[in-house]
Amino acid sequence: MARIAVIGAGMGAMAAAARLAVAGHRVAVYERASTYGGALGGFARDGFSFDTGPGLLQLPAVYRDLFIKTGKQPLEDAVELTQVEPAVRHVFADGTAVDLPNARRAGIADALDAALGEGSGAHWSAFMNRAREAWDRTRRPLLEEPLWPNWRILADREPYPAVVRRRMLRKDLSATTLREVAALELGGDPRLVALLEQYALASGLDPRTAPASAAVLPYMEQTFGTWAVRGGMRELARAVYERCLQRKVAFEFDAQVARIVEKDGRAAGVELAEGRFVEADFVVAGVAPGVLDELLPGRALRAEDSVAPQSGLPSRLTVFLALRGARPGDAPHRTVVHAADREAELASLFGEGTAVAERPTVTVLRPDDASVVPDADHEAVTLVVTVARGARVTDADVERVMGAAGQAVPGLRDRLLWHEVRTPSDVADATGADGGSVPAPALAAASGRLLHPSNSTLVPGLFAVGGWSHPGGGLPHAGMSGALAAGLIVEGPDFRGSQ
């Protein structure tokens, strides 16, 4: 039985802790904040409650597997999952709206034909068939296996089977970026282009430079579905935390780790800010890259030819709205209100400035959940906008975001009781990520710049989990990072992932 110190109580760290405890190890988690969950936090006021992190879950199979592997109680006994219907409503710049059903590919094609015109569904379905090939080629190495030592195979090979456009006397055209996929393969409809590009934008990626392999992002959502958790996604964090407690994982909150201690060239424990030394045979760090570097100053954690940590990724602006009046029964859980000027939005996100776009794309979350409101005569609404890392958010920015959200919530201004704002600075305070950056999921191609560092490090006994390590950001990816780190500790460096 090994002693294992886990730094941080985020979802990846807790997933690793539960698996390691079931394997017979003595696990203790040290969290600098006063609670668990990391980015999957919550905010409550006056009987309203909101998620400060992701509001919906994809690939719940990752957490079902965690609960199966760590005890008899299945995930659905710990949280109430609901497949939302429709999965999402899109409101495009020209005012066109379309409701896309949940995990029904044929239904999605029919909805696109009805809203955008005959042939739209066929273009989208053909694209999704190619996206499936990219998924099949990358699912195991990007989600289920430790990062390959020869990771450049993933970096240099584009798994998306782009359509080749033959041209007389000129070079053939073939898409290498998501924007090129949209331009060459979606029939020229700007609304289909906006639909595809939004998936990159929601992950903090620039569709102009994101590889064609980013096609797996809409594929995952539209194939495996989108799920809500009663009480909010914070309830998922609670369930994982309680599973850890059931497996005898110890937690210390308000416990700042000052440094990782090495002995004889390997990780030997952690020293807390209070000066206490905790001896350990293994250390698992669920922290942002800069934070990890500070815990081992001057120590190389990665080989020179390894994957470099992602940097400069965008952040999130979140606005919580407490509304008077009941939620209409036909309101979709999620509405995406697209920007009027996508190019201006991308310039504000991926240029040199730190201002919020004049009229950004806004995701509006309206959960049909009586447990997040004080009574049936009120509604809790969350607005989410991808913004530049370190963006300086003004009152005028928030007003514009709420104005755009009015397209999804009629009468929003008249119904508003109060609002609360969470800026990139708040994200940075909660996660330690520079500028409040939010990690993106790992993707193949793009010369490896969208891969994440491996879960193992150059320091024997030190492992990394969470969104800033393989396989990257997002709730499913966090859960997989925990499984991979635990596997590497339990089975050793020859561990090759789930079978």
Side-chain angles (χ1 to χ4, degrees), residues 44-311:
R45 173 181 163 187
D46 300 340
F48 295 86
S49 60
F50 306 87
D51 289 313
T52 60
L56 291 167
L57 176 65
Q58 295 178 353
L59 289 178
V62 171
Y63 288 93
R64 290 184 178 125
D65 180 74
L66 171 65
F67 273 69
I68 289 171
K69 298 291 177 55
T70 59
K72 301 293 186 181
Q73 182 192 33
L75 175 64
E76 277 79 359
D77 282 358
V79 295
E80 183 179 332
L81 289 175
T82 303
Q83 202 167 6
V84 299
E85 191 63 57
V88 60
R89 172 176 294 168
H90 287 271
V91 179
F92 297 104
D94 66 354
T96 305
V98 58
D99 287 356
L100 300 183
N102 203 332
R104 299 201 311 276
R105 292 265 304 276
I108 290 171
D110 291 343
L112 291 172
D113 277 341
L116 308 186
E118 193 69 27
S120 299
H123 282 301
W124 187 261
S125 294
F127 158 69
M128 289 295 285
N129 288 336
R130 292 185 289 274
R132 177 179 179 175
E133 290 190 46
W135 168 258
D136 289 341
R137 293 169 181 172
T138 60
R139 174 180 59 85
R140 281 197 60 80
L142 288 185
L143 284 181
E144 299 176 3
E145 299 177 344
L147 186 66
W148 292 348
N150 57 339
W151 58 270
R152 291 196 178 277
I153 294 175
L154 291 171
D156 297 334
R157 293 182 182 177
E158 173 54 71
Y160 179 78
V163 173
V164 177
R165 300 296 186 195
R166 310 288 181 189
R167 302 193 299 175
M168 291 287 292
L169 304 178
R170 289 186 293 172
K171 183 179 179 181
D172 294 342
L173 287 178
S174 180
T176 60
T177 67
L178 203 63
R179 167 151 291 185
E180 290 171 348
V181 169
L184 294 174
E185 302 179 17
L186 294 182
D189 190 322
R191 295 165 298 184
L192 283 182
V193 172
L195 172 62
L196 177 55
E197 292 192 347
Q198 187 271 331
Y199 283 95
L201 187 67
S203 296
L205 301 174
D206 186 344
R208 300 170 300 184
T209 59
S213 66
V216 300
L217 300 175
Y219 177 82
M220 283 193 294
E221 177 177 305
Q222 295 188 4
T223 301
F224 303 111
T226 302
W227 303 74
V229 176
R230 178 174 173 79
M233 295 303 299
R234 177 70 179 166
E235 284 295 291
L236 179 62
R238 174 199 55 77
V240 175
Y241 169 67
E242 291 181 353
R243 174 52 56 90
C244 286
L245 294 179
Q246 293 164 5
R247 302 285 79 85
K248 308 303 181 185
V249 175
F251 284 81
E252 288 193 29
F253 296 107
D254 300 308
Q256 176 78 48
V257 173
R259 69 185 183 100
I260 297 169
V261 178
E262 281 189 86
K263 183 178 180 182
D264 299 327
R266 65 172 288 121
V270 298
E271 182 182 316
L272 302 180
E274 66 190 48
R276 177 161 50 105
F277 169 63
V278 179
E279 190 173 1
D281 302 293
F282 297 93
V283 175
V284 177
V287 297
V291 176
L292 184 56
D293 290 339
E294 292 172 359
L295 295 178
L296 272 170
R299 182 70 154 91
L301 299 178
R302 316 284 179 189
E304 290 186 4
D305 62 346
S306 65
V307 173
Q310 292 187 11
S311 62

Side-chain angles (χ1 to χ4, degrees), residues 347-349 352-358 387-388 390-393 397 400:
S348 73
L349 274 171
E352 296 299 322
T354 57
V356 178
E358 185 67 24
V387 297
R392 297 183 293 272
V393 179
D397 294 328
R400 289 197 302 274

Side-chain angles (χ1 to χ4, degrees), residues 407-419:
Q407 297 182 62
V409 187
L412 185 154
R413 296 286 186 182
D414 294 335
R415 297 178 57 197
L416 184 64
L417 290 171
W418 50 260
H419 72 275

Side-chain angles (χ1 to χ4, degrees), residues 2-6 16-18 20-22 25-29 248-251:
R3 298 160 299 179
I4 300 175
V6 179
L20 289 166
V22 166
H25 300 298
R26 193 169 69 205
V27 184
V29 177
K248 308 303 181 185
V249 175
F251 284 81

